[in-house]
Amino acid sequence: MKFQEELTAYIRAGYPLLYISALEPERAISSIEKACDSINGGLSCHVWKVTTGWDGTNSGDDPDEVFDYIDQRQSKDSVSVLCNYHAYAGENPNPILIQRFMDSYFKWKTPENHRTVIILSPMYKLAPELERFCQTLSYTLPELDQIESLVDSFADLYKEQFTWESDKHRESVISNACGMTANEVESALALSVVKTKMATDIPTISADVVMEEKAKILSKSGFLEYWPYPEDLSSVGGLGNLKSWLSEREKAVFSEKAREFGLPSPKGLFLLGLPGTGKSLSAKCLSKEWGLPLIRFDMGKVFGSLVGESEERMRMVLAQIESLAPAAVWIDEIEKGMAGAESSGTMDSGVTKRVFGQLLTWMEERPKDKLIYIIATANEALSLPAALLRRFDALFWVDLPTESDRKEILKIHLTKNNQMSDTIDESMLRLCEITRGFSGAEIENVVHTAMFKAFNEDATKVTPVHLEEAALTITPIAKLRREDIEASRLWAKDRCQFAQKDEPVSLDSLHQDRVRMIQSRSINLN
């Protein structure tokens, strides 16, 4: 339901106290006034600001006097908007003010004294005592059709000098503008025209400039962050089964024909596995592969100290994520953000559980016509409820690289750093053996350590000897956490698809083999 329709329903139902979170207060006020005009031939609507008082008259600007003004000078059934009143009714409020709100609530609820009072603020801050008295709403960001109208209207201003290069150019600008307020869209478009005119003397609308501005805006919230990544899945070594699955799904994700065929809307992907095995890298590269902007969601920052603050933050974040469509949303180490959800009732009065429930409900009920592909990564899933895992298209276990994976990973990092050679290629079997049990991140570390060794020896390039010496200085995660790895593998065996094509690396003789390699290397050096 659109904001104006939802607000109208609450006013008609007689709710005396509402709290509206709005990033665009002036536009929210306009929507509130339109809702009032549509009810019973029109309801009177009055706006209070601490700077200008009621309706800009500079009268009644004392926050403590708004109640008398509403009761004595405003008509029955009127609507009163208190702008930024969270500053007085939020943290550490005056207890007399809170009591007046409670007393007025029951007065405004009666038919003979009915009023609707709205606290309008860009953030949610409300004293716990008022939490049960106040119904919350969010003034949502512009929908796609509104964004299209804003972009087209702006383009018309420059129609004498500017034309769209193609339909794709226009669609890219509109897509990149999604998730911004109307004012932010207008400002980003204006900045784009100024920058392009300065650079080429021809004003145009650049999708890249709009995305850069959106990235800055997202970073201000602290919850969402635009995370551009330049490489696709070809830069990820191994993970053959995962890559095949993603290739099979890509066509269906963007195809209207797939919807007509009856295929369900894509939900997302859950990657579970050890640190350093390529989960986060795969998430970042997938967005580039599929041509979706990658938005990183830091769930841990959602939680606030005030009652209801965490839930309101989550509502706002989810609404913003919806407005970013189409996009890939990456939730890294989701188990940390949801830690304690099961015991939340005794640990934090149920806040974590309620926030977690909001996420689950949204993942199940979010609009199917908006492509939001969720990519969640976790180092372990034992603390995560099954209800979360069921909301993804697939759950993949990302294990330690197999022999063929290690060969591919070594070649990727050596080539990227201009260190690949025929000599190394001839020694690849030996290098794959000496790095058995290494994660992808540890193999990358081997290459970098070998490069330092070669540089200090004034060598022109890394040699197999440098790589062997570097590998023997690193204690792999497989040795440090062998028991955890075996337990996780056992859990994943009947619950997950395996990202690698080959059998997992055996850890049985890893320690003895490594000791033997180190001893052998020492003898050879002597």
Side-chain angles (χ1 to χ4, degrees):
M1 184 182 290
K2 301 278 182 148
F3 168 79
Q4 197 169 311
E5 296 172 354
E6 189 175 16
L7 175 62
T8 300
Y10 277 115
I11 295 174
R12 285 182 180 275
Y15 278 71
L17 190 57
L18 302 173
Y19 194 115
I20 296 177
S21 300
L23 296 175
E24 295 184 285
E26 293 305 317
R27 283 188 166 91
I29 290 172
S30 177
S31 291
I32 293 169
E33 290 173 341
K34 289 177 181 177
C36 292
D37 290 341
S38 69
I39 299 173
N40 299 332
L43 301 179
S44 61
C45 180
H46 305 277
V47 178
W48 176 89
K49 296 179 181 178
V50 70
T51 52
T52 58
W54 287 103
D55 301 325
T57 60
N58 286 313
S59 60
D61 56 355
D62 186 342
D64 296 327
E65 295 179 2
V66 297
F67 301 94
D68 294 335
Y69 193 93
I70 292 170
D71 290 336
Q72 297 170 14
R73 302 181 62 179
Q74 293 181 11
S75 61
K76 175 176 169 289
D77 294 326
S78 63
V79 175
S80 301
V81 182
L82 307 179
C83 294
N84 291 318
Y85 207 82
H86 69 282
Y88 311 103
E91 293 184 71
N92 304 315
N94 184 330
I96 297 176
L97 185 71
I98 298 303
Q99 189 60 52
R100 292 203 68 178
F101 256 118
M102 292 180 179
D103 294 341
S104 297
Y105 174 88
F106 291 104
K107 183 194 303 180
W108 296 334
K109 196 173 176 63
T110 61
E112 59 272 18
N113 294 298
H114 180 254
R115 309 282 195 280
T116 298
V117 176
I118 299 172
I119 298 175
L120 178 65
S121 169
M123 64 188 71
Y124 183 86
K125 283 188 178 181
L126 192 63
E129 298 93 329
L130 297 179
E131 184 75 22
R132 297 297 294 271
F133 292 87
C134 206
Q135 180 60 42
T136 59
L137 294 86
S138 293
Y139 180 74
T140 54
L141 294 166
E143 296 286 337
L144 179 61
D145 57 342
Q146 295 171 291
I147 296 289
E148 288 179 339
S149 178
L150 284 170
V151 170
D152 289 339
S153 297
F154 192 89
D156 283 344
L157 296 175
Y158 294 89
K159 60 185 177 182
E160 302 277 335
Q161 303 165 283
F162 162 77
T163 56
W164 296 110
E165 296 173 7
S166 62
D167 289 342
K168 187 176 181 180
H169 176 200
R170 175 179 173 274
E171 289 167 5
S172 296
V173 170
I174 292 169
S175 175
N176 290 355
C178 289
M180 302 164 73
T181 66
N183 181 60
E184 289 164 349
V185 172
E186 291 166 351
S187 297
L189 294 173
L191 181 65
S192 173
V193 167
V194 170
K195 281 189 170 183
T196 54
K197 185 172 176 58
M198 290 172 62
T200 65
D201 205 36
I202 301 174
T204 187
I205 299 176
S206 167
D208 291 338
V209 172
V210 174
M211 179 55 84
E212 287 170 6
E213 286 305 293
K214 182 162 75 171
K216 294 174 185 176
I217 292 163
L218 289 176
S219 65
K220 290 178 186 177
S221 72
F223 310 126
L224 301 175
E225 182 180 2
Y226 174 54
W227 199 292
Y229 198 72
E231 299 177 359
D232 57 25
L233 287 169
S234 64
S235 64
V236 180
L239 309 186
N241 287 340
L242 174 61
K243 289 179 179 178
S244 296
W245 186 90
L246 290 171
S247 177
E248 183 183 80
R249 292 290 174 124
E250 180 180 2
K251 184 179 178 181
V253 166
F254 301 99
S255 172
E256 185 59 36
K257 188 177 179 181
R259 306 285 89 76
E260 295 172 357
F261 188 75
L263 290 177
S265 299
K267 300 175 183 177
L269 178 66
F270 196 105
L271 300 177
L272 170 66
L274 305 169
T277 51
K279 304 184 302 296
S280 297
L281 178 61
S282 297
K284 290 182 281 189
C285 291
L286 174 60
S287 69
K288 178 68 173 180
E289 185 87 9
W290 285 6
L292 293 172
L294 182 66
I295 309 298
R296 186 175 181 270
F297 175 23
D298 189 342
M299 285 192 59
K301 293 183 178 179
V302 167
F303 296 94
S305 59
L306 294 179
V307 174
E309 186 177 14
S310 302
E311 294 89 329
E312 178 60 21
R313 283 180 176 179
M314 180 59 93
R315 276 194 291 270
M316 291 184 68
V317 170
L318 295 179
Q320 189 171 18
I321 288 175
E322 276 188 26
S323 68
L324 293 170
V329 176
W330 170 35
I331 309 177
D332 197 25
E333 297 186 348
I334 192 173
E335 76 276 20
K336 293 182 180 178
M338 287 290 98
E342 293 297 310
S343 57
S344 175
T346 56
M347 298 292 290
D348 59 6
S349 302
V351 173
T352 304
K353 193 170 186 177
R354 289 195 296 274
V355 170
F356 179 70
Q358 284 179 283
L359 177 64
L360 290 185
T361 301
W362 175 80
M363 289 179 70
E364 190 70 24
E365 299 178 358
R366 68 182 190 264
K368 300 298 186 285
D369 59 336
K370 294 183 177 181
L371 176 55
I372 298 292
Y373 200 77
I374 309 293
I375 311 170
T377 64
N379 295 329
E380 60 89 16
L382 298 179
S383 61
L384 294 174
L388 173 66
L389 305 180
R390 287 199 302 268
R391 281 163 167 77
F392 291 88
D393 295 320
L395 173 59
F396 275 90
W397 166 256
V398 185
D399 209 305
L400 295 168
T402 62
E403 181 178 328
S404 60
D405 292 347
R406 295 196 298 278
K407 181 178 179 180
E408 189 177 347
I409 293 169
L410 275 166
K411 285 187 174 182
I412 286 172
H413 290 298
L414 287 165
T415 302
K416 187 185 295 185
N417 291 284
N418 196 31
Q419 297 297 326
M420 190 61 193
S421 66
D422 292 339
T423 307
I424 291 177
D425 198 34
E426 291 168 3
S427 304
M428 195 58 75
L429 286 178
R430 167 70 176 168
L431 294 173
C432 288
E433 176 58 26
I434 207 169
T435 55
R436 185 163 68 88
F438 281 47
S439 68
E442 288 165 343
I443 293 173
E444 181 181 15
N445 191 15
V446 167
V447 173
H448 291 162
T449 303
M451 289 173 65
F452 276 106
K453 289 180 178 291
F455 179 79
N456 288 327
E457 294 176 6
D458 292 327
T460 55
K461 275 199 172 184
V462 165
T463 67
V465 173
H466 292 133
L467 291 166
E468 285 191 35
E469 289 177 353
L472 293 175
T473 65
I474 297 171
T475 303
I477 191 172
K479 181 179 177 182
L480 296 173
R481 295 181 54 187
R482 175 181 170 178
E483 293 79 7
D484 294 339
I485 294 172
E486 295 289 9
S488 296
R489 281 178 175 176
L490 186 63
W491 184 92
K493 185 177 180 181
D494 298 323
R495 296 175 174 86
C496 307
Q497 299 182 55
F498 276 63
Q500 282 91 348
K501 285 186 176 181
D502 302 328
E503 287 294 317
V505 175
S506 174
L507 306 181
D508 291 340
S509 59
L510 183 63
H511 177 67
Q512 292 84 351
D513 290 349
R514 189 152 186 80
V515 170
R516 188 170 63 253
M517 288 176 187
I518 293 173
Q519 290 173 341
S520 171
R521 186 69 187 156
S522 299
I523 292 170
N524 291 338
L525 289 174
N526 293 330

